[in-house]
Amino acid sequence: MGVRGLQGFVGSSCPHICTVVSFKELAEQHRSKCPGSTPTVVVDAMCCLRYWYTPDSWVCGGQWKEYFSVLRNFVRVFTAAGIQLVFFFDGMVERHKRDVWVKRRLRNSREVARIFHHIKSHREQPGRNMFFIPSGLAIFTRFALKALGQETLCSLQEADYEVAAYGLQHHCLGILGEDTDYLVYDTCPYFSISELCLDSLSTTMLCREKLCESLGLRLADLPLLACLLGTDVVPEGLFETFRYQCLSAYTSARENCGRNGSVILAVADHISKVLRLHQGEKKLEEMLPLGPNKALFYKGMTSYLLPGQTSPWISQKAKVIAPLDSQGASESSDPEPKPDVPVGSNPESEQDVLCTDLESKQESPMCADPESRQEDPTSMEPELKQQVALVSDPEILEVARARHVQAESYLVYNIMANGEIECSNTLEDALDQALPSQAFAYRPVRQRVYSLLLAGGHDGASSCPPVQEWFVYSGNPLRHPDLVRPLQVNIPGGPPSLKLLWLSQEPGAQAQRVDVLLACFDLSSSREELQAVESPFQALCCLLIYLFVQVDTLGLEDLHAFIAQALCLQGKSAGQLADLQLDHIDPRAVQLGSLLVRGLTMLVLVNSACGFPWRTSDFMPWNVFDGKLFHEKYLQSERGLSAEALVEQNRSWLTRFHQLKSVVCKACLREDRRVVSRRLRQPHHSGRWGRQGSGSHRTSSGHSRSGPGQHWRDQGPGNRQHESDPWRRHASSSGWST
């Protein structure tokens, strides 16, 4: 996600490459030059998430109605200026970038621990310096923008490549983002989202031509410079000695440049005065200490070449190494927003670094010596064939791919194409043993989805291959993925085919889609009660029933809070929610808010896999959940306030409150789960069930001894493989469930 040190260098040493521009003026110039053509800005949405999320409250689970209002205003301002926006989201984490992903997840886990420590110590939300984006922000932003009528696309590879290619191909006004890779790509102009003033529609344009002029380079040299400095493809440590040698030989000096800036100038000087001198006479690998890293280096170089572009530094033989593509990639279930590093910031504080230093290698065992992780480009083809073989029907796979690209589905395509998914950090308290990680709470749902998507070419779920899950939870060092076996979807006669679920227009197909969706949550017996619930509460009740059956430490107070906030949300504006003040912040409520929001993303997954039986808008958080409002209702419920008080004396809401509560409690009772007050239970236990203990459940082979359908307490850390025994719910030995 950028070139090491380049952002800071631009701000401190080359400020002249940054020019303030007006989008309105650029749009007018475009219309003058190209009458009839709509000026278009392509937006790297992952770079913009922190810019867009402006609500003051972020720790409670997300201020979704406020956030939707911000997005609507953002779109409105550009539309009023006659500018079309095209939004790209990361859809893949490519295999050669897994080390980077792991390092960031481990770092984020430490940040989450600090956040909970602050909450417990001060009973308040930390300052913005500890800001952590709400769970699911990237996922729900996709659907918010689509709801606002915007063209929204999900990448099949690293999004910055597709953004740069789209900008070049469609002659866009420019790219709006915050990633120094856009200074390296030879594409349309690059604009900074962090410098955008929405009122005036002005921002900073970073000119790659002026950057080249400052460095004495050509545009075609920038990919070489980037790879020698370090990128997400080429680890920084590969050329550390080489850069030191360049610096030692560099005779010029520039004031206020700093060591990182001097290194960049020295490497650029070496390219222009030494490498270019012998260009054409010697191969690049003869002039650089590539050693066994040649394939990785050329992969990094070609990753910057857009369709139709060539590089004078890459020979014809080296070009057989394809640019970044979707092979060996996995869909990012909750992609991390790209680091928002303002121009002029300290380069040492940049987050676009790889696992190359000693500390990083100690954090992540995956960050091994680059020489031990080289891939032979010719060996990738059989692997790709194996991945495609997970789903034998090319028509269905193509439908899944198209829905993925159009940002209509979530996770489905990559499960089918690669059998691998991941989920980033969630605000979960590692020290609270009474609540499960969302990774475990929703695993049975995912397992049934795996069976639904993969069993078509196999003899039932038992013969399906395991899916590799890279999920962040306490105690998981992320050295390897959890290998999770699919679970059979229990429907009389078996689940219908994906062709029927996805493509059929026959009468009764919609009813079958609903049947399969409920079966994925193991709630087929609750169909009648759920059908009686009006939108948008039907999906919410489905999720609450599942959660309260699965997690027996949830009590009536929690249920009251979830229902009351959903009802009261219908009558509150974004401004009213922004003005809401909380007495204090409760760490348990923080985790419950995140747990519910992750459940909403699971609804998106299941609804996508089942052919969209429910309207997506019914489980978008701005319609059913507000973090701060939930927190208020949680605190009120814990104090014992009545249902009338929780729904703010609204008679209509009170009637619905009792209806929804009855639906959830009756469905739970049918599953031998009685929802009772937490005040009537035993004292809060202190880790009797180690949700994510020390990893002692691993066998020497790295595989778990436990089965797949366990209660969350039995799902130990880093489960390596889950057998396909039917899932059984277990009543807790504590007596909390009856």
Side-chain angles (χ1 to χ4, degrees):
M1 296 184 186
V3 181
R4 173 65 177 171
L6 189 56
Q7 184 82 55
F9 172 77
V10 166
S12 63
S13 303
C14 295
H16 62 282
I17 82 164
C18 304
T19 306
V20 176
V21 296
S22 166
F23 277 118
K24 293 178 181 178
E25 294 178 3
L26 292 175
E28 286 299 324
Q29 294 170 11
H30 176 90
R31 281 187 282 266
S32 298
K33 293 179 181 177
C34 308
S37 174
T38 303
T40 301
V41 173
V42 55
V43 182
D44 185 337
M46 301 305 295
C47 292
C48 301
L49 295 181
R50 284 187 171 90
Y51 176 89
W52 287 327
Y53 193 87
T54 58
D56 291 335
S57 178
W58 49 269
V59 80
C60 297
Q63 300 307 109
W64 297 100
K65 195 171 257 190
E66 293 179 57
Y67 182 66
F68 189 87
S69 178
V70 170
L71 291 176
R72 181 171 51 208
N73 184 58
F74 182 88
V75 169
R76 180 189 60 79
V77 171
F78 276 92
T79 302
I83 298 173
Q84 177 182 343
L85 299 173
V86 178
F87 297 88
F88 272 85
F89 287 82
D90 273 327
M92 299 290 175
V93 173
E94 297 174 68
R95 182 163 299 157
H96 60 273
K97 295 190 177 183
R98 179 62 68 187
D99 289 0
V100 182
W101 188 90
V102 166
K103 181 187 176 183
R104 287 176 176 147
R105 302 291 78 72
L106 295 175
R107 181 190 66 209
N108 287 350
S109 293
R110 295 193 296 272
E111 293 174 358
V112 168
R114 290 177 56 229
I115 289 170
F116 275 99
H117 178 75
H118 181 96
I119 292 171
K120 293 174 183 178
S121 301
H122 303 282
R123 289 166 46 103
E124 66 181 13
Q125 175 179 281
R128 192 77 179 191
N129 62 311
M130 295 176 67
F131 174 71
F132 198 86
I133 68 166
S135 297
L137 189 67
I139 300 160
F140 292 123
T141 303
R142 299 184 206 170
F143 290 97
L145 291 169
K146 291 186 76 68
L148 292 167
Q150 299 303 293
E151 184 174 357
T152 307
L153 302 171
C154 197
S155 70
L156 289 168
Q157 58 195 80
E158 190 74 17
D160 56 9
Y161 182 89
E162 294 194 16
V163 167
Y166 186 97
L168 180 66
Q169 179 183 355
H170 294 271
H171 307 288
C172 293
L173 281 184
I175 294 166
L176 185 60
E178 203 71 35
D179 189 331
T180 47
D181 279 335
Y182 295 128
L183 273 174
V184 179
Y185 288 112
D186 187 3
T187 182
C188 59
Y190 162 39
F191 305 111
S192 168
I193 181 63
S194 68
E195 299 294 319
L196 175 64
C197 175
L198 202 57
D199 291 338
S200 62
L201 264 187
S202 62
T203 187
T204 296
M205 179 179 73
L206 290 85
C207 180
R208 60 185 67 89
E209 288 79 9
K210 290 183 179 178
L211 174 64
C212 288
E213 183 180 334
S214 295
L215 297 175
L217 298 178
R218 304 167 299 191
L219 284 176
D221 298 331
L222 290 178
L224 175 59
L225 173 69
C227 291
L228 292 176
L229 294 176
T231 68
D232 276 2
V233 179
V234 182
E236 180 195 11
L238 244 60
F239 294 102
E240 185 173 359
T241 302
F242 170 78
R243 289 193 299 273
Y244 179 79
Q245 292 171 346
C246 291
L247 186 60
S248 299
Y250 186 55
T251 56
S252 301
R254 187 175 296 186
E255 293 183 3
N256 301 322
C257 195
R259 187 182 186 282
N260 274 5
S262 297
V263 167
I264 292 174
L265 290 169
V267 173
D269 186 70
H270 187 83
I271 292 173
S272 63
K273 296 181 179 176
V274 178
L275 299 185
R276 199 182 295 161
L277 181 66
H278 301 287
Q279 192 176 10
E281 302 175 6
K282 295 182 180 180
K283 297 179 180 178
L284 190 58
E285 54 262 34
E286 295 176 4
M287 297 186 284
L288 293 174
L290 298 182
N293 303 301
K294 181 168 66 173
L296 183 65
F297 177 78
Y298 280 116
K299 181 177 236 180
M301 289 277 286
T302 56
S303 71
Y304 286 111
L305 299 182
L306 302 178
Q309 293 180 348
T310 59
S311 170
W313 295 104
I314 302 178
S315 66
Q316 195 64 35
K317 181 179 179 181
K319 289 176 186 175
V320 301
I321 304 175
L324 300 179
D325 54 28
S326 58
Q327 63 190 27
S330 61
E331 180 169 353
S332 184
S333 54
D334 189 12
E336 181 189 35
K338 295 185 180 180
D340 184 5
V341 184
V343 172
S345 63
N346 183 347
E348 294 296 336
S349 67
E350 287 189 82
Q351 300 178 45
D352 53 349
V353 296
L354 281 92
C355 306
T356 52
D357 55 51
L358 180 59
E359 179 185 354
S360 301
K361 291 181 180 178
Q362 290 172 339
E363 289 174 358
S364 173
M366 292 189 63
C367 303
D369 187 287
E371 296 185 12
S372 66
R373 293 176 60 78
Q374 296 312 301
E375 295 176 339
D376 178 359
T378 62
S379 69
M380 294 182 183
E381 187 176 356
E383 180 182 22
L384 182 58
K385 290 180 180 178
Q386 182 181 7
Q387 291 167 347
V388 174
L390 287 174
V391 176
S392 58
D393 189 332
E395 180 185 9
I396 284 297
L397 193 62
E398 182 55 35
V399 172
R401 184 183 186 276
R403 288 176 175 175
H404 168 88
V405 170
Q406 293 300 317
E408 296 171 351
S409 66
Y410 167 60
L411 290 181
V412 169
Y413 175 67
N414 204 249
I415 292 170
M416 301 176 74
N418 297 325
E420 182 180 22
I421 62 170
E422 64 275 311
C423 186
S424 185
N425 302 76
T426 304
L427 281 182
E428 296 175 342
D429 184 3
L431 301 180
D432 183 355
Q433 298 292 315
L435 288 175
S437 167
Q438 63 90 18
F440 295 140
Y442 299 112
R443 178 174 280 173
V445 177
R446 299 194 301 274
Q447 288 177 279
R448 294 189 184 92
V449 170
Y450 301 157
S451 172
L452 183 67
L453 297 177
L454 301 178
H458 304 271
D459 298 326
S462 60
S463 60
C464 287
V467 172
Q468 299 181 48
E469 290 189 348
W470 294 90
F471 273 62
V472 179
Y473 52 84
S474 178
N476 183 7
L478 294 172
R479 294 187 181 94
H480 310 284
D482 292 341
L483 304 181
V484 180
R485 288 282 182 185
L487 279 176
Q488 187 65 41
V489 180
N490 293 320
I491 293 180
S497 68
L498 291 180
K499 279 192 174 180
L500 187 151
L501 289 175
W502 292 7
L503 304 176
S504 176
Q505 301 297 322
E506 296 295 322
Q510 186 68 4
Q512 287 184 286
R513 294 181 183 110
V514 174
D515 287 340
V516 178
L517 182 148
L518 294 177
C520 285
F521 286 96
D522 203 18
L523 296 178
S524 299
S525 60
S526 300
R527 174 166 183 158
E528 288 188 16
E529 290 91 341
L530 287 170
Q531 279 186 318
V533 178
E534 62 187 15
S535 298
F537 305 114
Q538 188 179 66
L540 178 65
C541 280
C542 171
L543 181 57
L544 289 177
I545 295 168
Y546 174 82
L547 268 181
F548 276 75
V549 171
Q550 179 76 359
V551 184
D552 58 7
T553 53
L554 296 175
L556 271 179
E557 294 83 1
D558 305 318
L559 181 60
H560 290 173
F562 280 128
I563 295 176
Q565 68 85 29
L567 291 169
C568 294
L569 179 62
Q570 310 307 309
K572 295 190 184 297
S573 67
Q576 289 174 314
L577 293 167
D579 292 337
L580 186 64
Q581 299 297 315
L582 298 174
D583 293 336
H584 66 275
I585 300 296
D586 183 284
R588 184 175 183 274
V590 168
Q591 184 160 338
L592 285 181
S594 294
L595 185 62
L596 186 87
V597 171
R598 286 296 189 191
L600 295 177
T601 68
M602 284 298 100
L603 275 167
V604 179
L605 165 61
V606 177
N607 199 52
S608 303
C610 297
F612 307 100
W614 286 348
R615 292 184 307 181
T616 305
S617 61
D618 285 351
F619 37 89
M620 290 297 103
W622 46 88
N623 289 327
V624 293
F625 181 80
D626 179 88
K628 194 159 53 168
L629 185 60
F630 166 71
H631 217 93
E632 179 188 63
K633 301 304 176 185
Y634 177 90
L635 296 177
Q636 293 174 349
S637 184
E638 284 291 297
R639 294 201 305 267
L641 266 65
S642 65
E644 291 85 351
L646 289 175
V647 296
E648 302 170 6
Q649 313 300 327
N650 185 302
R651 289 182 176 273
S652 174
W653 292 347
L654 181 61
T655 300
R656 291 182 183 177
F657 177 93
H658 288 301
Q659 176 201 13
L660 299 181
K661 176 183 174 180
S662 176
V663 168
V664 174
C665 289
K666 286 181 180 179
C668 288
L669 194 58
R670 189 182 294 114
E671 301 295 333
D672 296 326
R673 163 73 159 102
R674 186 182 301 276
V675 183
V676 298
S677 170
R678 293 175 62 233
R679 290 190 293 271
L680 299 178
R681 295 173 174 172
Q682 300 172 7
H684 182 78
H685 69 258
S686 57
R688 177 177 174 185
W689 299 282
R691 168 164 58 96
Q692 299 112 354
S694 62
S696 59
H697 294 289
R698 290 180 185 271
T699 66
S700 58
S701 64
H703 292 268
S704 170
R705 302 186 184 97
S706 52
Q710 308 143 302
H711 191 280
W712 58 266
R713 290 196 185 94
D714 300 321
Q715 299 186 37
N719 294 321
R720 300 295 304 120
Q721 184 166 343
H722 296 263
E723 302 304 327
S724 55
D725 301 330
W727 179 49
R728 296 283 189 267
R729 296 187 178 93
H730 299 291
S732 166
S733 60
S734 67
W736 289 10
S737 298
T738 58

